[in-house]
Amino acid sequence: MNEEVQFILDTLQEDLDKSIQHLENEFRSIRAGKANPAMLSTVTVDYYGTQTPLNQVANVGTMDAHTITIQPWEKQLISEIEKAILYANLGFNPTNNGESVIINVPALTEERRRELVKQAKAEAENAKVSIRNDRRVALHELKKLDISEDLEKNVAADVQEQINEYTKKIEVLLEEKEKEIMTV
């Protein structure tokens, strides 16, 4: 295979990997009823005028299956951290004990679990759309090349094989997330 074709395939592989990685990150932000520090990964705190990720101004951990603790490195940040968590609109109500911020993660209702499954399915569908777009771009780039029809058909078949493989990965990730969300 010539270098141009290999470049197209390598670019496709990178794009597909990015789609899967993005989906995994989105799934991490969908809480499944258990306390997890990753739930707060999108929270940024006003730290001396700069929006800074929460995990860069405090230790974030779990006390038990339903409690997240945030131990700021500077005590004057406690109120800023509480404001940032409320502003992030994650459905948490933070409290503090003077030294750390405590978040009790409520148990999910059946209705809320179903909503979260719908959200996970929507994210999985977005990932599928993304990989189909990656396929379209790769095939378009392939058509631009001056190669034989046989080589073009073979490479197009390889591209479709990769797309099928990544679609299965997305289905597996979705299945795992659904199971995690629906487990009481």
Side-chain angles (χ1 to χ4, degrees):
M1 240 186 283
N2 67 29
E3 290 177 23
E4 295 162 324
V5 172
Q6 191 57 49
F7 178 75
I8 290 171
L9 292 175
D10 290 345
T11 304
L12 175 65
Q13 183 71 44
E14 285 176 25
D15 292 344
L16 294 175
D17 287 339
K18 285 178 188 173
S19 294
I20 294 292
Q21 193 173 25
H22 178 74
L23 179 64
E24 289 171 341
N25 288 338
E26 291 298 317
F27 277 177
R28 261 188 235 112
S29 68
I30 298 174
R31 63 189 186 98
K34 295 183 211 95
N36 184 347
M39 293 174 175
L40 302 175
S41 63
T42 59
V43 176
T44 57
V45 179
D46 184 15
Y47 184 65
Y48 297 107
T50 305
Q51 289 298 317
T52 310
L54 179 62
N55 62 3
Q56 292 182 13
V57 297
N59 287 328
V60 182
T62 55
M63 199 182 296
D64 56 42
H66 297 287
T67 310
I68 299 174
T69 59
I70 304 153
Q71 182 74 46
W73 296 323
E74 299 175 23
K75 284 190 183 175
Q76 68 264 24
L77 284 176
I78 288 178
S79 64
E80 287 296 328
I81 290 172
E82 285 183 297
K83 284 182 204 169
I85 291 168
L86 289 171
Y87 181 74
N89 200 19
L90 299 172
F92 296 135
N93 193 13
T95 58
N96 78 66
N97 61 9
E99 295 198 8
S100 61
V101 177
I102 299 166
I103 298 172
N104 288 317
V105 179
L108 296 174
T109 63
E110 184 70 23
E111 182 181 338
R112 181 68 179 135
R113 287 179 193 278
R114 292 192 192 289
E115 287 174 21
L116 291 174
V117 167
K118 281 182 187 175
Q119 185 181 347
K121 285 181 179 179
E123 290 300 337
E125 189 55 40
N126 289 341
K128 287 179 185 178
V129 167
S130 175
I131 65 171
R132 287 193 295 264
N133 286 337
D134 295 338
R135 174 186 59 195
R136 185 181 45 78
V137 168
L139 294 177
H140 181 72
E141 292 297 317
L142 188 63
K143 291 222 182 288
K144 288 182 185 177
L145 298 179
D146 187 27
I147 57 175
S148 71
E149 280 186 40
D150 288 344
L151 179 58
E152 188 177 326
K153 284 182 182 177
N154 289 341
V155 173
D158 291 346
V159 166
Q160 186 58 48
E161 201 172 292
Q162 268 188 309
I163 297 302
N164 292 345
E165 178 184 324
Y166 276 81
T167 302
K168 285 179 188 158
K169 283 183 184 181
I170 290 170
E171 290 295 328
V172 168
L173 289 171
L174 176 61
E175 217 172 275
E176 289 171 0
K177 190 64 182 180
E178 271 188 72
K179 192 178 201 179
E180 178 185 335
I181 291 170
M182 294 310 285
T183 301
V184 179

